[in-house]
Amino acid sequence: MRYDIYQKLKEKPIYTKFIRENSHWYKILNRDPNMFDKMIEDMKDKYKLRVTDKIDNVVDSVDLISKFLKVTNEK
């Protein structure tokens, strides 16, 4: 693996965790280091770190709180 890719992986612990859990990315990055961005996209998708996932989590949280408040107000 190229040294710059290795450094990028060591930069953030989540990258290291992801590549250990999805070892096929070692081979892909060895063959084509330009796929690093694709690996990051895959990681964000699997760990649900995209902006849309965060928005969905907030919406779900607000919905849960509103349901809870509705139930408590009825009693």
Side-chain angles (χ1 to χ4, degrees):
M1 184 175 299
R2 285 183 19 192
Y3 186 73
D4 61 325
I5 298 297
Y6 179 75
Q7 287 297 95
K8 286 181 184 178
L9 289 172
K10 293 294 179 182
E11 235 173 56
K12 296 187 179 179
I14 195 163
Y15 294 168
T16 306
K17 179 183 177 204
F18 177 75
I19 201 164
R20 286 183 180 162
E21 291 174 355
N22 301 281
S23 58
H24 66 279
W25 277 105
Y26 279 113
K27 184 172 29 170
I28 294 169
L29 292 174
N30 274 328
R31 292 182 180 174
D32 186 9
N34 296 324
M35 294 291 288
F36 187 79
D37 291 335
K38 179 67 176 153
M39 185 205 76
I40 300 301
E41 289 176 21
D42 190 30
M43 178 201 66
K44 286 181 178 182
D45 188 45
K46 287 186 179 179
Y47 289 159
K48 299 188 180 208
L49 299 173
R50 296 175 298 161
V51 173
T52 56
D53 295 323
K54 291 177 182 181
I55 291 172
D56 287 343
N57 287 340
V58 168
V59 167
D60 290 344
S61 296
V62 168
D63 188 44
L64 178 70
I65 291 170
S66 70
K67 286 180 181 179
F68 180 75
L69 290 173
K70 183 178 179 183
V71 167
T72 57
N73 285 336
E74 290 177 355
K75 291 183 175 187

